[in-house]
Amino acid sequence: MCVNKQKKVPMRKCVATGEMRPKKELVRIVRSKEGQVSVDLTGKKSGRGAYLSMDKEAVLLAKKKNILSSQLGSAIDDEVYEELLDIIDKGNRQSK
């Protein structure tokens, strides 16, 4: 008796678009206990996290509506959004 065991894909919800996507397709933004907000590419940093689609429109929407700020309960510096857009831009260049 052979049972096909497929590994369950962890799903997360994008805070900007509301879509459920595989965790690997999203980027995690984390607020540490000290209140510092940073991009967590490993997904392993401790602190309060929020997931965003690796999508320019999602990042711009999150910035426009202040979604990350309300999700993480902390002010978000423009550098965080710049870093996210830079990561997305580099990812798009590598996939072409």
Side-chain angles (χ1 to χ4, degrees):
M1 187 171 139
C2 182
V3 178
N4 186 10
K5 288 196 175 194
Q6 285 188 322
K7 204 171 182 184
K8 193 171 181 229
V9 178
M11 301 290 280
R12 297 291 182 271
K13 188 179 210 173
C14 171
V15 293
T17 64
E19 295 181 274
M20 291 296 287
R21 294 181 124 174
K23 191 176 170 183
K24 288 184 178 178
E25 291 179 15
L26 302 168
V27 64
R28 184 171 183 251
I29 296 84
V30 67
R31 185 198 74 218
S32 67
K33 285 180 181 158
E34 295 79 36
Q36 186 178 2
V37 176
S38 60
V39 177
D40 179 14
L41 294 175
T42 63
K44 292 179 173 31
K45 285 185 184 176
S46 65
R48 175 87 173 104
Y51 289 88
L52 258 181
S53 297
M54 295 277 268
D55 188 80
K56 194 173 187 176
E57 285 77 31
V59 173
L60 295 174
L61 180 67
K63 183 176 182 179
K64 181 181 165 190
K65 294 191 173 184
N66 238 0
I67 295 169
L68 284 177
S69 181
S70 60
Q71 288 286 322
L72 298 175
S74 183
I76 311 297
D77 290 332
D78 281 347
E79 288 93 54
V80 173
Y81 293 109
E82 295 299 322
E83 187 179 346
L84 286 166
L85 291 170
D86 197 41
I87 291 165
I88 292 164
D89 193 38
K90 283 179 183 168
N92 288 342
R93 273 190 256 137
Q94 286 176 350
S95 64
K96 286 181 181 175

